Amino acid sequence: MTLLYRVLYCSRNLMSGDADAVQCEIRSILSKSRANNERDGLTGGLLFSEGCFAQVLEGPIEAVERAFERIQCDDRHEEVTVLQSGPVEARDFPNWSMAFTGRDQFADPLDAAALKQAFGSRSPNGDAVLGILRGVVVREEDWLAPVA
Amino acid sequence: MSNVRSMPVSPVPRSTRKNPPGGADHFRHALDAVQVGVLTFNRSLGVLFANKRFAAMLDMDIQPNPGVTTLTDVLDACAVFKGASAQQVLEICLASIAADEGGTGMLPMMVETGERTYAVQASRIADDYWMASFDETTERRVAAASAVQLATLDTLTGLPTRQHFQDRIRHIMVLAAKDEPEPALVMLVDLDRFKTVNDTLGHPIGDALLRLVAKRFGFIFRQNDMVARLGGDEFGILVTPAPDQETAAKLARRIVDVLGRPYLIDGHLINIGASVGLASAGRDGLNYDQLLRSADLALYASKNAGRNTFSFFDIGMDQRAVARRNLEIDLRRALALRQFELHYQPQIDLDRDTLVGFEALIRWNHPERGLVSPLDFLPLAEEIGLIVALGDWVLREACQQAARWPEEVAVAVNVSPRQFDDAGRLVGSIAKALTASGLPGGRLEIEITEGVLLRNDADVLTALHQIRALGVRVAMDDFGTGYSSLSQLHSFPFDKIKIDRSFMTDRGDVDGQNAIIRAITALGVSLGMATIAEGVETSEQLARIRTEGCTSVQGYLFSKPVPVSQIDQVMLDLAARRFALPLS
């Protein structure tokens, strides 16, 4: 069995424009990433909040590295900080080619506060962000529904 | 290069030249027989050897005297090289010295003298020996060589090579219309901490990293812009036509951002940075060499500004670089020309009010610059490594002097952290200085700064103990500034702590300064180390440090640092003021 590898990073959003435009852009990011990930055997989650991204990528090491490098070259974000990277025993998002949460309000206000802190501080806590991602990742189909 | 004209060089008629006597000289004969001019030199630009072909091809009218003749003397004596071409050769040689850490071989550079073109290549051949080769080429060969290089891309990254980059810029600059003041923008990019990646993770990972860097450039620049790998971890970008300042800054900022983002290679998370220097064709350079030099100076400024940033070239950088370069050239020759001298400042023991020693302080007496402050030349000497030879000279000279003083008087010599790079060598230099002068080890004290110990290097500690074994005392200089950590005082049994002069200012919080002095002297007492205060100028200050318990003192109150000729007078003056030698 190939070695499973996981990387978790956060970065600052550079996409500008109104909410609809940003939603549209996110939708395109997600669909592309889901297609790529399915092809490459990757799973993970993407969180978009407070003008920041946090993303988990997990899968075979070569595929993770290729996807990670692709993401690094994207000019829609900056200040990429890797919170966690290394081999793992099992996937945290086995059923999601790229789960997504994009609401600014979370069901659990504590999580929202923790997330804010994690993004705000210069030394964000990787486990905390991963925990939040695990906890809140659901398909936000409403949010992503095509703009009428 | 007019400043080297005064060098004493003895013209030797060609007919009287002979190979030096001695049997094992067949290498020399062989070198004399080859059709390439060969010149060897050392780090200080002293010329060791020039083969016959060199002398004949370049019309040299002196015989280099190893250890005395410098590269500038030789170039001055070569009728073929004048002005710019001599400067170019000197730069090629200096570049090879500067590059010796990089390990990448230098490509031959074309040096044009008007009549002919020479391919000049310099590289390190042994520890402190460099060789420059001079090959006379015809125009056709130059063209053929560049055509070959033009066609080749860098095999690692697939980017154009330096040669390609250079030709394209030359082309643009020649073709640029007169009404187009800034036809192109050049950016030089250097990766920060790349060497560490290579050293710690190995070259395959370093190579993979360079490939990813090259790819990332592709996301920043348009197809039109040229991104070239200039060598090692240096990249050059040519943007045509030059964008406005704001756009240029945006591009540079993006390089710093995107190249500085993390890399994931073979499971290793790698963080490097990028420094960028920008220069505009036309405004910052009228030809390729000038333009690249300007961009390089801007890159240097970015590195000096703490890396991970970008700088535009400005004319001040050029002036500073020229000034620094001239200073460097002068400094490299100063030792041979005996322009350094030592001044000595007395140190007084406060228990017995007696003269116990002198601190040796270096002075540079330059024929045109006058007295150059150590603050202006010591950092440069450290940077270019000249401090090692200079430090050896100071040790020899100070020990020679001290050997002539009364037996009770010691000499204190400052030793730079760079001299500890080869700690074993330093121990040897100290031992030699003692033996040659006959000065007992107990009358020599070396002063080191905490930077030496910050490296946490076992070799340094071993050397310090070996120095102590010679009977030499070791003092910690400038204590109270910097880190001044107790653990450093603990890591080696220093004989003495020298309290930094900044606590002697009489300005600001004098009570606070007194408290620090008291704390340091108390520390000295509990660790069994003497304490000396420097910079003492007034009797009030003397009273202060007496009260706080310092064991000795030096400063203008007793005497400024004086040349050797005035030492006897200083001793007499001190005696008249009750600070006598213990036995006199």
Side-chain angles (χ1 to χ4, degrees):
Chain A
M1 196 186 136
T2 47
L3 181 71
L4 271 183
Y5 198 89
R6 179 164 65 223
V7 61
L8 162 60
Y9 74 87
C10 65
S11 63
R12 199 166 296 281
N13 170 38
L14 284 181
M15 292 183 293
S16 52
D18 58 24
D20 288 350
V22 170
Q23 261 189 44
C24 186
E25 193 78 35
I26 298 254
R27 204 176 299 120
S28 119
I29 292 174
L30 266 181
S31 71
K32 217 175 222 160
S33 123
R34 282 174 179 158
N36 285 334
N37 290 354
E38 257 162 49
R39 183 194 63 205
D40 297 338
L42 291 171
T43 53
L46 174 70
L47 181 151
F48 176 70
S49 170
E50 305 277 339
C52 293
F53 292 100
Q55 188 174 25
V56 183
L57 279 168
E58 52 190 22
I61 184 162
E62 299 83 11
V64 169
E65 287 179 4
R66 267 200 311 275
F68 182 78
E69 186 57 28
R70 211 162 44 227
I71 291 162
Q72 295 314 302
C73 296
D74 200 311
D75 59 7
R76 287 170 293 194
H77 66 166
E78 65 175 3
E79 289 180 38
V80 179
T81 310
V82 173
L83 304 176
Q84 227 185 54
S85 77
V88 285
E89 303 264 310
R91 294 178 191 254
D92 271 313
F93 300 85
N95 303 320
W96 303 94
S97 65
M98 189 48 62
F100 175 76
T101 178
R103 283 219 192 281
D104 273 350
Q105 290 90 22
F106 294 98
D108 182 350
L110 275 179
D111 275 351
L115 185 71
K116 211 171 201 170
Q117 199 186 2
F119 276 137
S121 84
R122 277 279 110 190
S123 54
N125 183 333
D127 285 324
V129 175
L130 188 58
I132 294 161
L133 267 171
R134 265 198 217 108
V136 301
V137 155
V138 280
R139 287 196 181 196
E140 293 280 348
E141 300 296 1
D142 296 348
W143 198 83
L144 286 174
V147 187
Chain B
M1 296 228 281
S2 56
N3 55 342
V4 298
R5 295 273 175 213
S6 57
M7 271 295 287
V9 284
S10 48
V12 175
R14 194 158 296 167
S15 59
T16 65
R17 263 188 229 156
K18 278 192 212 135
N19 289 324
D25 238 5
H26 65 283
F27 288 121
R28 190 185 178 120
H29 291 302
L31 276 173
D32 274 340
V34 300
Q35 288 307 299
V36 175
V38 171
L39 185 73
T40 63
F41 53 96
N42 61 20
R43 191 183 289 276
S44 322
L45 293 181
V47 168
L48 306 162
F49 167 75
N51 73 349
K52 276 187 175 166
R53 175 74 182 147
F54 179 91
M57 180 164 77
L58 304 167
D59 233 354
M60 179 174 67
D61 64 4
I62 61 164
Q63 172 83 326
N65 182 359
V68 178
T69 312
T70 66
L71 189 63
T72 40
D73 299 333
V74 166
L75 292 176
D76 274 3
C78 288
V80 165
F81 291 125
K82 284 184 206 76
S85 55
Q87 184 68 23
Q88 217 182 330
V89 172
L90 183 65
E91 269 170 18
I92 292 166
C93 296
L94 282 174
S96 72
I97 292 174
D100 73 354
E101 268 106 17
T104 46
M106 297 252 171
L107 286 172
M109 302 283 288
M110 299 302 161
V111 175
E112 293 166 17
T113 62
E115 289 115 320
R116 292 189 206 123
T117 302
Y118 298 88
V120 182
Q121 190 167 20
S123 55
R124 185 156 83 160
I125 48 176
D127 234 83
D128 186 26
Y129 299 112
W130 278 259
M131 184 185 95
S133 64
F134 297 75
D135 198 0
E136 199 176 328
T137 64
T138 62
E139 267 178 37
R140 212 178 51 226
R141 278 173 62 194
V142 175
S146 52
V148 170
Q149 281 163 323
L150 254 178
T152 53
L153 294 178
D154 173 48
T155 47
L156 180 66
T157 60
L159 294 177
T161 58
R162 176 184 286 272
Q163 187 66 47
H164 202 159
F165 184 66
Q166 175 176 335
D167 291 348
R168 173 94 180 268
I169 293 177
R170 290 210 158 118
H171 192 71
I172 283 171
M173 293 184 87
V174 169
L175 292 187
K178 292 258 187 286
D179 57 354
E180 194 183 11
E182 286 168 25
L185 171 77
V186 162
M187 304 190 193
L188 290 184
V189 182
D190 202 269
L191 304 182
D192 307 325
R193 298 187 299 280
F194 176 74
K195 193 176 176 307
T196 317
V197 173
N198 249 348
D199 290 350
T200 54
L201 298 175
H203 287 273
I205 300 267
D207 286 353
L209 177 58
L210 289 172
R211 275 194 292 267
L212 289 186
V213 166
K215 274 198 188 142
R216 287 193 186 182
F217 273 122
F219 288 90
I220 305 173
F221 291 97
R222 300 163 302 162
Q223 203 73 43
N224 251 20
D225 306 324
M226 180 187 219
V227 180
R229 179 168 178 233
L230 304 184
D233 58 345
E234 200 191 347
F235 296 86
I237 299 132
L238 175 68
V239 184
T240 47
D244 60 49
Q245 183 108 349
E246 200 182 317
T247 313
K250 208 180 268 174
L251 279 171
R253 199 171 296 120
R254 196 147 159 66
I255 295 175
V256 174
D257 172 24
V258 171
L259 262 49
R261 291 182 188 182
Y263 299 79
L264 212 49
I265 301 171
D266 279 4
H268 301 286
L269 181 67
I270 298 168
N271 285 289
I272 56 167
S275 299
V276 186
L278 299 94
S280 291
R283 191 187 62 200
D284 303 331
L286 292 170
N287 58 42
Y288 171 80
D289 291 332
Q290 278 178 10
L291 183 61
L292 261 278
R293 194 182 117 80
S294 296
D296 212 32
L297 285 170
L299 174 62
Y300 187 73
S302 293
K303 288 190 169 285
N304 268 352
R307 299 159 191 272
N308 262 327
T309 187
F310 66 94
S311 314
F312 286 95
F313 171 77
D314 76 65
I315 199 75
M317 290 175 186
D318 197 31
Q319 287 155 355
R320 283 191 294 278
V322 168
R324 186 190 173 283
R325 229 185 109 62
N326 288 336
L327 187 66
E328 177 178 340
I329 289 169
D330 284 3
L331 189 58
R332 285 187 186 277
R333 297 149 30 103
L335 200 56
L337 297 177
R338 299 182 187 283
Q339 289 171 348
F340 292 111
E341 62 176 308
L342 294 182
H343 285 200
Y344 298 89
Q345 186 171 42
Q347 300 182 323
I348 310 292
D349 178 282
L350 285 176
D351 279 343
R352 294 168 292 156
D353 281 342
T354 52
L355 171 69
V356 287
F358 286 93
E359 180 183 3
L361 295 156
I362 191 155
R363 296 287 181 265
W364 180 12
N365 215 334
H366 188 276
E368 285 120 46
R369 298 170 189 269
L371 213 54
V372 185
S373 164
L375 294 176
D376 289 334
F377 72 83
L378 283 182
L380 181 59
E382 296 233 358
E383 195 184 323
I384 63 179
L386 195 73
I387 195 78
V388 175
L390 193 55
D392 281 356
W393 175 82
V394 172
L395 278 165
R396 281 199 307 273
E397 179 73 13
C399 288
Q400 293 283 2
Q401 274 306 323
R404 298 184 196 131
W405 299 340
E407 272 180 18
E408 307 76 24
V409 183
V411 69
V413 173
N414 294 283
V415 173
S416 143
R418 273 299 292 268
Q419 289 172 268
F420 280 91
D421 286 352
D422 186 348
R425 184 185 185 284
L426 175 65
V427 176
S429 298
I430 293 173
K432 254 188 260 168
L434 290 173
T435 315
S437 62
L439 187 76
R443 287 176 60 198
L444 174 64
E445 180 174 289
I446 63 158
E447 296 189 3
I448 64 170
T449 53
E450 60 185 347
V452 172
L453 292 173
L454 279 176
R455 287 191 282 187
N456 216 353
D457 184 338
D459 289 350
V460 168
L461 278 183
T462 308
L464 284 173
H465 283 288
Q466 286 168 339
I467 291 168
R468 275 281 290 274
L470 295 168
V472 176
R473 280 168 293 157
V474 181
M476 164 78 91
D477 203 359
D478 300 338
F479 195 77
T481 59
Y483 294 89
S484 303
S485 119
L486 266 179
S487 66
Q488 275 149 46
L489 279 182
H490 250 304
S491 61
F492 181 75
F494 286 93
D495 296 279
K496 196 188 271 184
I497 307 169
K498 193 170 216 178
I499 303 169
D500 189 74
R501 61 175 67 245
S502 57
F503 301 110
M504 245 347 108
T505 54
D506 278 350
R507 283 189 302 274
D509 179 14
V510 173
D511 286 344
Q513 291 176 1
N514 284 348
I516 292 171
I517 297 172
R518 195 177 317 138
I520 298 176
T521 53
L523 197 63
V525 169
S526 62
L527 293 172
M529 300 173 187
T531 43
I532 180 165
E534 62 176 336
V536 173
E537 295 177 3
T538 65
S539 32
E540 289 74 29
Q541 290 172 339
L542 179 60
R544 265 170 63 195
I545 61 147
R546 262 191 211 279
T547 312
E548 305 307 348
C550 278
T551 51
S552 51
V553 63
Q554 76 183 74
Y556 274 48
L557 178 62
F558 303 94
S559 167
K560 62 178 187 187
V562 298
V564 170
S565 58
Q566 292 171 32
I567 285 186
D568 288 347
Q569 189 57 46
V570 166
M571 289 196 208
L572 287 173
D573 290 348
L574 286 172
R577 289 165 62 190
R578 279 197 314 113
F579 300 108
L581 292 169
L583 300 176
S584 61

